[in-house]
Amino acid sequence: MRIIIVRHGDPNYELDTLTKTGWREAELAAEYLSKLQVKAFYVSPLGRAQDTAGCTLKKMNRTAETLDWLREFEAHIDRPDVKNEKSICWDWLPQDMEKDLDLYDRERWDKADIMQNGNVEEAYQWVCDGLDALLKRHGYERDNLYYRVNEANHDTIVLFCHFGVECVMLSHLLNVSPMVFWHGLCAAPSSITSIYTEERRKGIASFRVNEFGSTAHLYVAGEKPSFAARFCECYGDGDRQD
């Protein structure tokens, strides 16, 4: 089985849609995705993901099922460097995160006091339960840290969603703290991630990423990936800092 996760195109967050660049990215992603044999499409309820998916669905004359748990991961905390307001739990300054090494641990990251003071543990479990229910529909049932194969297949499913929730799904599939992915990986707008099952022993499957955040569909068309997913490479560059 193959899972393809597509991040939405360059966003207009104010209107929850895409920028002009984002629409172009979504069209180019559709060119790539339309060449695949896709069993089913799933999409976040948020506008920017719906718009991105719409380009592919229109091109392929297909429909998608909207899954509420695919919305952006919005659990909020009192981030150490932000005063007087709640912040999303997955955007930390490195020097703050590294003060608590439990945040890197698969079992303990969401038990840290700062996470417990928000709704992080509950929100994370909601996404994991939603993903497992979806995979069970496609023949793979979670059993502790791996998946039982109820119906082996070569199906491809495509999920249109957001960076934060993409990292939550990857952390669950690979049994790693999502803090590692949230802060160590960057998925540009419209980027494509591919995950395959490996059934090395009959009836037992694990998931393995063979492509993360690919923007090949942009490069072949002469388009540069949007900077929206990143922070400045050198302080003072004039790009996004904080």
Side-chain angles (χ1 to χ4, degrees):
M1 183 185 176
R2 184 184 185 191
I3 305 170
I4 293 180
I5 302 175
V6 184
R7 189 190 174 198
H8 58 75
D10 189 54
N12 179 329
Y13 286 117
E14 183 178 356
L15 300 178
D16 191 22
T17 184
L18 304 178
T19 64
K20 182 179 179 180
T21 297
W23 283 107
R24 172 66 173 158
E25 292 171 340
E27 292 288 354
L28 293 173
E31 287 290 334
Y32 169 76
L33 295 169
S34 65
K35 296 177 174 63
L36 305 179
Q37 297 296 317
V38 179
K39 177 74 171 181
F41 291 93
Y42 302 96
V43 61
S44 155
L46 300 185
R48 52 196 183 272
Q50 292 273 334
D51 289 342
T52 302
C55 293
T56 297
L57 299 174
K58 181 179 179 181
K59 189 173 184 65
M60 297 180 69
N61 193 28
R62 298 284 297 275
T63 59
E65 180 180 347
T66 297
L67 299 174
D68 199 42
W69 57 267
L70 279 177
R71 67 175 51 248
E72 184 56 290
F73 193 71
E74 295 180 341
H76 288 77
I77 60 169
D78 295 312
R79 207 175 82 182
D81 63 313
V82 178
K83 306 302 180 185
N84 303 319
E85 64 178 356
K86 296 286 186 178
S87 301
I88 54 174
C89 69
W90 46 271
D91 183 12
W92 287 54
L93 294 175
Q95 60 266 38
D96 290 330
M97 188 173 80
E98 291 169 7
K99 291 176 182 177
D100 186 353
L101 295 183
D102 279 354
L103 294 172
Y104 292 90
D105 185 272
R106 178 180 63 84
E107 296 288 351
R108 298 195 297 269
W109 75 273
D110 57 354
K111 306 300 190 297
D113 289 343
I114 194 167
M115 298 296 188
Q116 288 288 303
N117 288 335
N119 62 329
V120 177
E121 187 174 8
E122 178 184 359
Y124 182 82
Q125 192 61 51
W126 181 52
V127 175
C128 294
D129 289 345
L131 177 59
D132 284 343
L134 177 63
L135 294 178
K136 187 175 180 179
R137 286 163 55 182
H138 286 276
Y140 295 84
E141 185 174 0
R142 184 84 176 190
D143 185 357
N144 197 15
L145 299 183
Y146 61 87
Y147 288 80
R148 291 201 308 272
V149 181
N150 296 332
E151 184 181 350
N153 62 77
H154 293 279
D155 292 347
T156 294
I157 62 173
V158 177
L159 284 59
F160 292 91
C161 55
H162 314 264
F163 173 70
V165 74
E166 173 180 3
C167 290
V168 169
M169 290 188 283
L170 290 175
S171 78
H172 185 56
L173 292 174
L174 304 182
N175 302 307
V176 177
S177 165
M179 295 289 280
V180 176
F181 295 128
W182 284 330
H183 298 88
L185 301 179
C186 178
S190 83
S191 62
I192 294 170
T193 295
S194 296
I195 308 116
Y196 286 90
T197 53
E198 289 188 344
E199 190 179 352
R200 299 175 65 179
R201 295 293 185 272
K202 184 174 177 59
I204 299 176
S206 58
F207 285 89
R208 197 171 190 181
V209 177
N210 82 310
E211 181 180 43
F212 176 84
S214 172
T215 52
H217 57 285
L218 302 180
Y219 282 112
V220 297
E223 298 280 344
K224 291 182 61 176
S226 301
F227 194 82
R230 301 168 52 201
F231 292 97
C232 58
E233 293 181 18
C234 298
Y235 195 86
D237 275 350
D239 296 319
R240 181 171 171 235
Q241 288 180 191
D242 225 354

